[in-house]
Structure formats: C-alpha cells, structure tokens
Amino acid sequence: GYNELLLSQGDYAYAFDFFTISMVWTLMSAALVFIMHLGFASVESGLTQSKNTVNILFKNMFILCIGLLTYALWGFMSHYPGDFNGFFAMGSPIGDLNAGGGDTFGYGGVGLAMTGYGDFIFQAMFAATAATIVPGAVAERVKLSGFMLYAVILVTLGYTIAGSWKWGGGWLDDMGFYDFAGSSVVHAFGGFSALAAVLVLGPRRGKYVN
C-alpha cells in the first residue's frame, strides 16, 4: 500500500508527496503547452484562405510529431549536455532517463522534482512549440516539402543548440543571461526563425490585390 511505497523511497520518503504533486503539475503544464498547437493551428488557419486550411493544419501536426521524434533521437541530449564548449554539443538518443533516480530526487534534485521522462516530455513540447510560429508567417507562400525540411532542421538543430546556450549551461548562461519562462529560448527563437523565413520568401503574392 501507500506506507510500503513510502518505505521504498528511503531517504526521499519525507518529500514523496511534494515530488508527486510536482510531477503531476509538470505533466499538466506539458498538456497545456501541447494545447498551444491547437491555438496556433486555429489562428493560422483563420488568417489564411479556406483552401489552405488543411495545409496549415498538417504543418502544425507535422511539427509536433517530428519535434517529439527528433528531440528523443538527438535534441534532448544536445539541449542539456554535460560538459561542452558552450556553443555546440553532439546529441544522442535519450536512453534510460530514469536510471539515476526514477521516482526520487535522483534526477535533477529538489530544484526539478520530476522524473527524467517527465522532464523530457515537458521540454519536448517546447521543442515543437518553438517552430509552430513559423507556419503562420510563411502561410500561402512556401511549398510543403520546403517547409517540412526547414521544420526538421529548426527543431532538431536550431532550437536545441540555441537553447543549450542558456538552459544547457552554455555561453549565454555564463554571461548571466536571464530567460523568463522561455520568452527568449522558445518564443523569441521561433519569432526570429519566422522572420528569417519571411525575409527569404517575401510577401504573399496577390493577397492584397483587388
């Protein structure tokens, strides 16, 4: 029962309730970030012609799917590297994230208070979200194949490398850079990525012509 579970935690039993509540809140937050994709898909399809609705919805779903896969295969281990030169860390598959602690504070300490896989799914949602601003910016002016390639590069390399500069203990973190709730690492990165794509593609042809 519950008492036996507490005993199994050993030195961590005193804070088992805190750990559990923290983990539940992390998963709820990950679900809320996931719902952001629904919001992006809605606003972006609302700003485009009806014939492009399926296209914009597919782009948002593609980013979510490819973001999860690439973050597991490469991104997570490059986003949060161990010792690296501050600019680039070679990624690798995630492996067993709970090997160091499982349902104890062995992973991340009291500061994180979550399991390894809980941390992964929360950050994977942000990895996908960082690129979700781009579909709305390039709507009706880019081929689907070109966008898919851009999205893969963005969520696999761009976001994780730039994010490691702060969250992975890179050169920005060494300079004392402060990021509030992903405002720079996630949202500014997505905005600048969208701006770069727009500068290359130019305006939507014929959208504002009578």
Side-chain angles (χ1 to χ4, degrees):
Y2 181 73
N3 291 332
E4 293 178 354
L5 185 59
L6 284 179
L7 290 173
S8 69
Q9 305 306 307
D11 295 337
Y12 301 102
Y14 73 95
F16 181 72
D17 289 337
F18 168 74
F19 181 89
T20 303
I21 294 171
S22 177
M23 190 62 249
V24 170
W25 173 246
T26 299
L27 293 178
M28 290 174 60
S29 300
L32 292 173
V33 177
F34 173 81
I35 294 175
M36 288 176 64
H37 292 270
L38 175 61
F40 275 115
S42 298
V43 70
E44 290 167 3
S45 60
L47 293 172
T48 57
Q49 301 175 69
S50 58
K51 65 179 182 179
N52 294 313
T53 300
V54 174
N55 180 278
I56 205 75
L57 294 178
F58 175 81
K59 287 176 180 176
N60 278 274
M61 286 304 301
F62 174 78
I63 287 175
L64 179 62
C65 296
I66 200 65
L68 284 169
L69 290 174
T70 58
Y71 200 64
L73 293 174
W74 196 89
F76 187 78
M77 302 304 289
S78 66
H79 202 189
Y80 297 101
D83 296 328
F84 76 120
N85 60 16
F87 289 91
F88 178 80
M90 182 60 69
S92 63
I94 56 175
D96 184 5
L97 295 178
N98 285 345
D103 54 355
T104 73
F105 291 108
Y107 179 89
V110 180
L112 282 180
M114 64 177 73
T115 66
Y117 289 110
D119 188 24
F120 165 77
I121 194 63
F122 180 67
Q123 295 297 340
M125 288 295 100
F126 277 114
T129 302
T132 331
I133 298 173
V134 179
V138 303
E140 301 179 334
R141 70 181 92 174
V142 65
K143 290 184 178 180
L144 181 60
S145 57
F147 171 82
M148 292 171 69
L149 178 61
Y150 183 64
V152 170
I153 296 173
L154 200 62
V155 299
T156 306
L157 301 175
Y159 170 73
T160 53
I161 292 174
S164 71
W165 295 343
K166 167 57 184 175
W167 289 346
W171 65 277
L172 282 178
D173 188 61
D174 291 339
M175 293 175 62
F177 176 77
Y178 184 77
D179 175 84
F180 179 75
S183 55
S184 297
V185 176
V186 181
H187 302 291
F189 173 83
F192 285 127
S193 300
L195 177 61
V198 168
L199 291 175
V200 172
L201 295 172
R204 301 181 193 176
R205 295 177 181 176
K207 181 173 177 60
Y208 300 106
V209 176
N210 294 327

